[in-house]
Amino acid sequence: MTTTSVTIPFIHRFASELPELALPWQGEDVPDPRLLVLNDALADELGIDADALRTPDGLRLLTGTTVPAGATPVAQAYAGHQFGGYSPRLGDGRALLIGELTDREGRLRDLHLKGSGRTPFSRGADGRAAVGPMVREYVVSEAMHALGVPTTRALAVVATGRQVQRETVLPGAVLARVASSHLRVGTFQYVAAAGDVELLRRLADHAIERHHRAAASAERPYLALFESVVAAQADLVARWMLLGFVHGVMNTDNMKISGETIDYGPCAFMEAFAPDSVFSSIDVGGRYAYGNQPAAAVWNLARFAETLLPLLDEDQDRAVALAVESLGTFDTRYRATYGTGLRAKLGLPEGLEDAVAMQLCEELLTLLHESHVDWTSGFRALGRAARGDAEPFRGLFVDLVAVDGWLARWRALAPDAALMDRTNPVYIPRNHLVEEALDAATSGDMTAVHELMDVLQNPYDERPGKERHAAPAPVDFGRYTTYCGT
Ligand code: AMP
Ligand code: MG
């Protein structure tokens, strides 16, 4: 086995504590690695020398073709419900966990590769990834991070120089991604299905230790673990909703125990506000539509609860009752985070009575919906209205009488414009701009990606000359559809 000279002190917590779920494996060789984009700030956060990653050895590390000294890459096993149907064996079919490392703040982070070749979990697929979808994950996950949403991070995308067969032939790439772990609801499903309670307990202990430490000292640690995941997911989905983010493929294998967003396949940002917004070509039933995301999260968490039952109580009925009660906390938690966030989007004062605030919010949502107002720029325009310039906002609506009535009541509450500008981003990864940048990246030109990343890194700071990046898609962009099988 070849080793590289880039030295990163990897440890192997997952592989050593849960060897039953870790298959030692190596990436396939990469004929002509070429760095497309590298996240210098994240490398620094990880204590990795970014310049070392740019060397031929670094690129081999970032593609999984050679193993860093002391590392033992593994493919992770997991199961999952995909669009409601259960697959007992998914796992890393084109990904590898290189290992964990401790970042500058002492946090344990996974270094994980996507597109690194076939593994025993590939199920007949090619194990590869194309430049477009990997750059897409890079752009959108880093944008989400800048927007303050818990998410996996992107360290680099390296083009492989190999062609990948999709509907057309596309250039291949490997994404290096960083996460606090890759434990999924599907990881628990895989173990629960095997019926090995000792392994299940080890997995749950591992999850508690890595993500939900307070649960360890609770009276019922595994119930506390469950409740902590419920809370993390309720907060996460509320943040998605406040930003108009549609994940698109909320399968249980894409829901993380840490509460970080993962897998930016068919995701999209909603423009015209409509709760039934769906972008994924395969989501014909709208299972993962914008407005269904909280319910989809609860459904997934119920599947998670099922896996934990043997650890919750010896008495099965009692275990179920405890899980049901804990799952009920999602709603309260979700509504608290979403409600607080929505109030901030409207700049409403803290002391305002809840019922009054919610009434005002709901009326605004109805108006936005009726006039197909762009979610992101609409709220930003409302911020200008709080500063006295209401015309750009008014201009977005069909029914001016209704809007003026609403504005008068809202203005009477003295909305906080500064709070609104801190809460409502100017720049999100606009679907048409992302597509434009990915097309260029696929042809080898990364200029548009860098331009996009430049504004997305400071999404709340309005910058002159960047109006195009703040505007919704032109009408001729049409209805936006995303595709799986990336
Ligand atoms: P995803 O849609 O990326 O969340 O992946 C769902 C499952 O399909 C995971 O088990 C992946 O490893 C697997 N998968 C997706 N694309 C490929 C591919 N090109 N080759 C092998 N496995 C894949
Ligand atoms: Mg996935």
Side-chain angles (χ1 to χ4, degrees), residues 257-277:
I257 301 305
S258 66
E260 291 167 316
T261 313
I262 186 172
D263 276 358
Y264 294 85
C267 67
F269 279 80
M270 171 181 70
E271 293 205 325
F273 171 58
D276 61 357
S277 298

Side-chain angles (χ1 to χ4, degrees), residues 170-184:
L170 296 168
V174 177
L175 167 78
R177 106 178 145 190
V178 172
S180 68
S181 88
H182 282 78
L183 301 178
R184 309 146 191 267

Side-chain angles (χ1 to χ4, degrees), residues 76 78-79 82 89-95 114-115 117-119 121-129 134 137 164 166 177 184 247 249 251 253-254 262-266 484-486:
Q76 293 177 292
Y78 54 87
Q82 302 182 305
R89 187 183 153 97
L90 292 169
D92 286 336
R94 54 163 170 177
K114 190 162 164 179
R118 305 195 72 230
T119 76
F121 297 107
S122 295
R123 297 174 294 149
D126 65 2
R128 294 175 185 156
M134 295 306 101
E137 174 158 339
V164 178
R166 294 293 180 261
R177 106 178 145 190
R184 309 146 191 267
H247 182 279
V249 60
N251 295 332
D253 52 305
N254 290 338
I262 186 172
D263 276 358
Y264 294 85
C484 266
T486 54

Side-chain angles (χ1 to χ4, degrees), residues 5 43 51 57 59 65 71 74 91-92 125 156 188 200 214 259 267 271 296 308 311 327 358 367 377 429 445 477 483:
S5 63
D51 288 331
D57 271 353
L59 296 192
T65 45
V74 297
D92 286 336
F188 280 81
L200 182 65
C267 67
E271 293 205 325
L308 292 175
L311 304 180
L327 188 55
M358 278 306 122
L367 291 169
S377 58
D445 179 0
F477 184 64
Y483 299 91

